[in-house]
Amino acid sequence: MKKALLAVISFCALVFTGCNSIGDKDTLVARVNGEPIFKEDYAFLMRVGNIVPNTEQMRKASSSLFSRKALYTVALQKYPELKEQLAVHNAAIENYQLTFVYQRLYAMDRLMYSDDELAFYYDKHRDQFADSLSYMNLRDKVADAKYIESNYDSLKSYAYHHRNLADSSSEAQITYDIKERFVSDHRQRIVRETGPALLKKYNIQKCEIKMPSAEEYYEKHKEAYMTPAGFVVFHVESADSAKLAKRFKHRKMDLGSFATLASRYSENPETKKGKGTVGKVLIGHSLPYGIGFVNSMFADLDTLPDGGISAVHRSESTGRYHVFYRVSATPAEVKPLDRVRKTVEHDLATTVNYELDSSYVLVTKNGEPAVREKDVLAVYNDNTTMVRSRKSHDRIVNSLALQLAFASEAREIGLDHSWEYRAMKRQSDVDYIINVYRNKVLTRIVVPEDSLKALYARMGNPIHPTLTYEQSRSELNDWFEIPENIMKRTYYYAEEDYLPDTYEQAKARVFEHADVVFRNARWDKEVVTSWGTAKVDLFADNLTLLPQEWSVDLAVRSADSFYTQAKSLEKAYLAWSGIRDRYADIDSVAKRATFELAHVYSDREEFDKAQREYRVFYRTWPDSPDAEKAMFSRGFILNENLHKNDEALKVFEEFKKTYPKSDLMESVDWLVQNIKSNGKLAEDLMKKIESEE
């Protein structure tokens, strides 16, 4: 969420207590709309995210933990069917999750020790570890130390074999570097050996994929083995392009006349004998008779009818010029199998992708089907940017086989009941539901279908003209829903980019940029509202939360306090920008937020942004009592801070016409005169002030 509305303070003492500095991780800390948050959720944040307690990073992580849990519950309340969708998703990724717990947390992090073993070792040797970090931040270092202590004889032998052989007097020394390398080699050995061992242990085998015969594949994919299309052509060649262009200026004659000209004027001795006959030429191929590559002529010939004469084209090979006569087009033809058999067989052996039924068995476990083609297709569907190829298919199958092996071992040693697995699954559930919910929020349709169809018939998709109606529905919906304040701000903030078009004339272009802001604001409002209305029950002492945003008025008061009381420009900026985008449909709120943001930008010395915001304000709300202040402020910034005097003069001249009775008129007149005097008035004034002092 762009503006964090929640922070958990002083949780370290209540979440991580007890003899091993963790405590019972399944202890309930809080509920958000009935959904539990446990100590183990914090432990997981610390271990996987390497987040240190009592830091700003942890406060932000805690903020996300609570607010995302609120979003999760709201999503399931609004769309109960997502529970079934989540169950299907979890079944599909269960092996992946167990593999993560085994590889990342059990093998690499814990070096295959139990959490209790390491916690006990940490308590006995706490003086070896930094006081500023908790056990969960140090667990991998604790595992390193325990492994070294348990394998000290092996460490001494390792140090001996890695001593400096160039120094005959060198003794085996157990240095910090040697310890690091000793443990690192052990981890690499785990990575290298565990996968193959588990595949063997659980009798997991990849099935050979039977490829079709050359005859079968050829019959199904004849379009891949076609001769190139081409043309039958005559030509005239010359070193002088101007002469050729003049000779064929009208480009209309029959073949006989063209052949006569070729026999008289062509400078290609080989084709001149045949009255310009070139014969059949293939698209993308070099032309015979020394003509070489003339790729530009193929597109030209493709637009001509039979009997048409091309423009003048230059050969890339020789630099000489040619005019071509199109006799006829020659379509692509299927090459006979005997001619391409070796190519087909090579393709089948190396490059062509598999074409398998979704039930095709790819991996077995103890002889029983375990991974099918449908599982590979599911991976592709979840990773839409992945290129579907034989190589990627093989990688996916290898990965799924290994995941099956690691997941089988994880279940056997009980990792599916570990606190890490529980915490990871809860986080995964929340992530999945929020992602699905976000897509629903961003693409929801509330406008009647007839209105959408009428808009599409009138203007198509306002952002992506090539999309069909069905593909355009959500953007068409946004065209009706987007607040005018977002549209006007987009235009007036970057007015230079749209001129000379007026706001009305530029609406389609404006919408393309404004819709991104609108959708982000729509989601931000959903996030803020979900947390603002969440019911939070706390079951631990010293756990405090920042106020929830119950209403727009509360948000405005909070943003105002950041600016006027806390004097935090960064917090004020985040608050006001969020308010303006979230509540753009409330005119008074959008107006107040825009004015305040202009002040904030000015105080932050972001003067270009400030003058743009002031322009947005007085163009969007010209009748506001603050409009003349905004126009004056913009003119002043353009002159004083940005030194854009020509633009400043235009603003001040507009000010004088719009507000002739303004109390600021005397200041405006002086500024105009100063600009026209190239700053001499200001210089004289400063000299006078200095002399009086």
Side-chain angles (χ1 to χ4, degrees), residues 422-438:
R422 292 194 302 268
M424 184 193 66
K425 271 194 70 4
R426 279 194 296 272
Q427 179 175 298
S428 175
D429 288 354
V430 170
D431 289 345
Y432 177 77
I433 291 297
I434 287 178
N435 285 337
V436 175
Y437 183 46
R438 185 175 189 274

Side-chain angles (χ1 to χ4, degrees), residues 205-232:
Q205 297 182 355
K206 289 185 292 180
C207 303
E208 181 182 355
I209 297 177
K210 184 180 178 182
M211 300 298 290
S213 67
E215 289 78 8
E216 291 170 333
Y217 188 80
Y218 171 79
E219 285 298 322
K220 195 173 180 180
H221 297 277
K222 285 183 177 180
E223 73 282 353
Y225 304 100
M226 306 278 286
T227 61
F231 303 92
V232 175

Side-chain angles (χ1 to χ4, degrees), residues 374-386:
K374 65 180 181 181
D375 301 310
V376 174
L377 295 177
V379 174
Y380 278 133
N381 290 335
D382 287 341
N383 300 272
T384 53
T385 59
M386 185 184 294

Side-chain angles (χ1 to χ4, degrees), residues 213-431:
S213 67
E215 289 78 8
E216 291 170 333
Y217 188 80
Y218 171 79
E219 285 298 322
K220 195 173 180 180
H221 297 277
K222 285 183 177 180
E223 73 282 353
Y225 304 100
M226 306 278 286
T227 61
F231 303 92
V232 175
V233 298
F234 281 57
H235 87 131
V236 175
E237 179 178 323
S238 175
D240 190 329
S241 62
K243 284 184 178 180
L244 268 184
K246 186 176 181 180
R247 200 173 301 282
F248 294 96
K249 181 169 64 172
H250 299 296
R251 296 171 63 181
K252 287 185 179 180
M253 63 182 67
D254 59 23
L255 179 56
S257 300
F258 188 92
T260 300
L261 288 176
S263 65
R264 289 180 185 174
Y265 303 112
S266 182
E267 297 175 9
N268 185 311
E270 293 188 63
T271 59
K272 187 173 183 178
K273 297 174 186 176
K275 297 184 177 182
T277 302
V278 179
K280 183 178 179 180
V281 295
L282 301 177
I283 295 174
H285 287 242
S286 177
L287 276 64
Y289 308 117
I291 299 172
F293 285 97
V294 196
N295 288 325
S296 61
M297 67 100 171
F298 288 109
D300 192 358
L301 290 177
D302 193 46
T303 65
L304 297 174
D306 290 347
I309 299 174
S310 77
V312 176
H313 292 278
R314 183 176 180 271
S315 168
E316 292 96 319
S317 304
T318 67
R320 296 177 67 81
Y321 297 93
H322 302 263
V323 167
F324 294 92
Y325 185 98
R326 169 174 159 162
V327 178
S328 62
T330 57
E333 297 176 351
V334 178
K335 298 176 184 177
L337 177 59
D338 290 344
R339 183 178 165 189
V340 296
R341 178 180 291 277
K342 287 187 177 180
T343 302
V344 174
E345 290 173 348
H346 178 269
D347 290 346
L348 284 169
T350 57
T351 60
V352 300
N353 203 0
Y354 307 113
E355 298 173 352
L356 307 174
D357 184 81
S358 62
S359 62
Y360 194 100
V361 177
L362 299 167
V363 177
T364 62
K365 180 180 178 183
N366 291 325
E368 296 296 321
V371 176
R372 298 179 184 271
E373 176 67 8
K374 65 180 181 181
D375 301 310
V376 174
L377 295 177
V379 174
Y380 278 133
N381 290 335
D382 287 341
N383 300 272
T384 53
T385 59
M386 185 184 294
V387 177
R388 300 195 179 197
S389 68
R390 186 168 181 164
K391 196 171 184 179
S392 62
H393 188 283
D394 289 342
R395 284 202 304 267
I396 292 170
V397 172
N398 290 338
S399 177
L400 292 175
L402 280 171
Q403 287 177 26
L404 178 61
F406 280 108
S408 299
E409 181 70 0
R411 293 185 185 94
E412 183 163 303
I413 63 178
L415 291 181
D416 54 334
H417 298 294
S418 66
W419 70 266
E420 288 127 318
Y421 182 66
R422 292 194 302 268
M424 184 193 66
K425 271 194 70 4
R426 279 194 296 272
Q427 179 175 298
S428 175
D429 288 354
V430 170
D431 289 345

Side-chain angles (χ1 to χ4, degrees), residues 16 88 96 125 174 186 221 271 304 368 473 485 518 571:
F16 304 109
V88 172
Y96 168 79
H125 303 85
I174 301 177
H186 177 57
H221 297 277
T271 59
L304 297 174
E368 296 296 321
R473 290 174 71 246
N485 287 331
F518 176 49
K571 290 182 178 179

